[in-house]
Amino acid sequence: MESSEFPQEERRPTPPNKKTKKKKRTMGLVAFCAVIAAIVFLILVATITFLAYRGKAVTGTHLDLITVSVILGAALAGISLIISIITLFVRNQKKGFAITSLLLALLVLLGCVGAMYLYDYVFSDMEYDLRFKQYSKDDLNVVEINNSGEVIRETEEEKPLVTPEHIQELSLSDEIEFEEVLSDEIPEEAQEKMYGAEPTGPSYLMGDYDQIQNFMLIGIDDIGSSDSMILFSVDKVHHKLKMISIARDSYLMIPEFGIRCKAAYSYNWGGAKMTVGMINRNFALNVEDYITVGLDQLAAIIDSIDGIDVELTDQDVSFLRSRYSYLDLHSGKCHLDGAAAASYSRNRSDSEANRTGRQRAVISAIMLKVRKMPLSEYPEFIKNCLGLCTTSFSSDELMKLSVEVVQHDYSVESYALVENVDYWGGILGEERYFYVVYDTRRASDWIYRTIYEDLYKSGYPD
């Protein structure tokens, strides 16, 4: 009997116990959401700030928000980048969202890091006086306005607190010998100027007077004296930038010494702290910040913007022609390089009012030139300028002040104190120094009228 052959079934491999897992997109989606959140947040902050700028309403809060958004945006993009890279090496994760997130995260990171680098580049050379910020308002003789807004002007008599010898020991420079000139040693006509008419009532500040910020610009000469002292006022109420020159030869009270002497030498004896404290005490002001620049540094700043245009008189031309024969000098508007502009601002051949007027003219010419500068040139200019100055302002404070002035297109006003107060000028003391003597309380009243305008009610007769 023949055996029959039956076809055998084809054997199939036994399926594994575990089911094959489907690839997920969880990690890629998380990375994508993180980078999209960063982009949306950055766009939202940029839009809010742009609309505020168009409406001339940018505040320090907007600038702080930009800083936070850049940091947060970089952090979210960094997280997205890390998750995206991890996702590319995980087998059970789909790669589509991860690749998209990776590219977007790189773009966001590049933008944020670029913004951080630009900010650091601009302010990296700034010499910030950290110690100055540690001084209290009492240290700087800042005048506090009471709840009623009354301005209190002290009438302080001379009470020598230190000896001239001790002052000389404390001096930052040996170039200037301290000379004590008591008020009873000055001529009678000078004393009459120093003790003028009494106020008929109290003086008050009103309204948004605290929206006006004052600081000092101090120009230092080659022996360490404050050759130029200009009170800057950023008036956020009337949208004005005001400059008031205070004569270097002013006969002012030095609070630390308890006696009066030449104002210019306060920086020589005690640096910015003594100069700012002296200005506050004599004129009842609230200055808490300063910027200093030397003459060589001023020349370098002017050269960095290829010089400035200044209106010259025949006397100015005569003064400059013998020193800078290579320049095309004539009566009227002339182009000056840094060295010539610095010499022009220091020219002492005529009155103190004219000299301080030239200093303010140079500063105004610099500001005008900067306003016309292409936006692309601002970072380099600011970096160079700040690298040549010493200041108590932080980079954030300077940025906020600059935005305030630029967005509202502030007008610039320029004044000399000695042109607006009754003063006596002459030679005093054994060293035969020139002094300018005036009533500091009445001078303070004029400064308040100029700075605060309709926000100030004077107790002095007009």
Side-chain angles (χ1 to χ4, degrees):
M1 186 173 178
E2 295 182 357
S3 59
S4 60
E5 295 182 359
F6 296 96
Q8 296 182 354
E9 293 183 359
E10 184 178 348
R11 294 183 178 180
R12 296 179 181 178
T14 304
N17 294 330
K18 295 182 180 180
K19 296 181 179 179
T20 303
K21 292 183 178 180
K22 293 183 178 180
K23 289 188 176 182
K24 299 179 180 180
R25 62 182 68 186
T26 306
M27 294 179 66
L29 189 60
V30 170
F32 184 75
C33 289
V35 73
I36 291 299
I39 293 172
V40 170
F41 186 59
L42 288 169
I43 292 175
L44 179 63
V45 171
T47 302
I48 292 172
T49 305
F50 176 74
L51 292 176
Y53 181 80
R54 288 289 299 270
K56 297 184 177 182
V58 174
T59 64
T61 302
H62 292 96
L63 297 179
D64 292 337
L65 186 59
I66 291 174
T67 302
V68 171
S69 68
V70 170
I71 295 173
L72 183 58
L76 287 172
I79 292 171
S80 176
L81 182 65
I82 293 172
I83 295 175
S84 298
I85 293 174
I86 293 174
T87 303
L88 295 177
F89 293 95
V90 177
R91 291 183 178 180
N92 68 339
Q93 292 290 320
K94 291 186 176 181
K95 315 303 181 188
F97 273 124
I99 294 173
T100 303
S101 301
L102 179 66
L103 295 175
L104 290 176
L106 286 172
L107 289 175
V108 173
L109 272 176
L110 185 63
C112 291
V113 171
M116 293 178 186
Y117 172 79
L118 180 62
Y119 186 88
D120 182 69
Y121 174 80
V122 169
F123 294 102
S124 60
D125 291 342
M126 184 176 78
E127 188 174 346
Y128 176 44
D129 188 353
L130 290 170
R131 185 176 59 177
F132 196 87
K133 285 295 189 183
Q134 297 172 357
Y135 294 131
S136 68
K137 292 187 176 183
D138 288 338
D139 292 332
L140 298 175
N141 302 302
V142 173
V143 172
E144 297 278 8
I145 304 301
N146 59 31
N147 293 333
S148 64
E150 184 177 358
V151 179
I152 306 297
R153 296 185 172 93
E154 296 186 15
T155 56
E156 186 176 7
E157 297 297 329
E158 294 175 9
K159 295 179 181 178
L161 303 176
V162 290
T163 64
E165 291 75 21
H166 183 53
I167 292 172
Q168 199 62 43
E169 291 176 5
L170 297 175
S171 177
L172 301 179
S173 171
D174 295 330
E175 298 286 344
I176 301 298
E177 292 288 338
F178 177 77
E179 181 180 33
E180 180 179 356
V181 181
L182 298 177
S183 58
D184 57 4
E185 298 175 357
I186 66 175
E188 184 178 346
E189 58 268 30
Q191 292 191 41
E192 291 177 357
K193 303 293 184 183
M194 196 166 70
Y195 303 106
E198 294 292 327
T200 57
S203 298
Y204 294 96
L205 284 174
M206 305 168 290
D208 296 329
Y209 69 86
D210 57 347
Q211 294 300 304
I212 298 177
Q213 182 176 358
N214 302 312
F215 67 93
M216 289 298 300
L217 176 63
I218 307 171
I220 306 302
D221 61 19
D222 52 3
I223 61 173
S225 298
S226 45
D227 188 72
S228 173
M229 291 176 289
I230 300 178
L231 175 64
F232 264 77
S233 180
V234 181
D235 184 347
K236 300 176 185 178
V237 179
H238 306 99
H239 296 154
K240 295 179 181 179
L241 183 64
K242 301 167 187 175
M243 296 183 287
I244 301 176
S245 292
I246 298 173
R248 69 186 302 277
D249 299 316
S250 295
Y251 183 59
L252 299 182
M253 171 69 70
I254 307 290
E256 290 88 342
F257 298 167
I259 51 179
R260 296 173 184 266
C261 50
K262 186 186 285 284
Y265 300 146
S266 60
Y267 198 93
N268 188 282
W269 295 320
K273 174 180 177 291
M274 183 175 285
T275 298
V276 171
M278 174 190 68
I279 296 299
N280 282 333
R281 176 59 65 87
N282 284 270
F283 303 110
L285 292 172
N286 59 352
V287 177
E288 294 186 67
D289 286 293
Y290 77 94
I291 299 173
T292 63
V293 59
L295 285 175
D296 292 339
Q297 287 75 25
L298 176 63
I301 291 172
I302 293 171
D303 283 334
S304 71
I305 56 175
D306 298 323
I308 56 175
D309 296 325
V310 177
E311 196 79 24
L312 301 181
T313 65
D314 290 334
Q315 187 177 2
D316 296 328
V317 172
S318 177
F319 173 80
L320 293 173
R321 186 167 285 166
S322 60
R323 294 165 173 79
Y324 307 97
S325 57
Y326 58 88
L327 293 176
D328 179 21
L329 299 172
H330 52 82
S331 180
K333 184 164 289 188
C334 294
H335 189 76
L336 303 180
D337 61 12
S343 294
Y344 165 78
S345 67
R346 287 203 69 190
N347 180 9
R348 300 178 185 175
S349 61
D350 51 10
S351 69
E352 178 71 14
N354 288 341
R355 191 179 74 89
T356 58
R358 286 188 286 268
Q359 293 170 353
R360 296 191 307 278
V362 167
I363 295 172
S364 297
I366 293 173
M367 290 192 294
L368 180 63
K369 189 76 175 282
V370 171
R371 279 185 174 181
K372 296 179 179 179
M373 185 183 296
L375 188 62
S376 59
E377 296 180 12
Y378 271 83
E380 187 67 24
F381 168 75
I382 296 173
K383 176 183 173 64
N384 291 337
C385 186
L386 293 179
L388 297 169
C389 301
T390 301
T391 180
S392 63
F393 285 113
S394 67
S395 56
D396 288 344
E397 289 170 331
L398 284 175
M399 182 70 76
K400 290 172 183 177
L401 271 182
S402 300
V403 169
E404 171 65 28
V405 172
V406 171
Q407 75 168 334
H408 289 107
D409 194 22
Y410 276 39
S411 61
V412 179
E413 296 181 358
S414 174
Y415 305 93
L417 180 60
V418 293
E419 288 182 338
N420 295 277
V421 296
D422 195 14
Y423 72 92
W424 174 92
I427 303 297
L428 295 175
E430 294 180 1
E431 296 292 335
R432 309 301 293 164
Y433 289 148
F434 181 82
Y435 286 86
V436 175
V437 181
Y438 48 81
D439 184 347
T440 55
R441 291 177 301 164
R442 194 63 193 258
S444 169
D445 179 71
W446 177 85
I447 290 174
Y448 269 76
R449 291 173 187 251
T450 304
I451 290 177
Y452 296 100
E453 300 186 20
D454 56 327
L455 303 180
Y456 175 66
K457 181 180 182 298
S458 174
Y460 282 86
D462 292 333

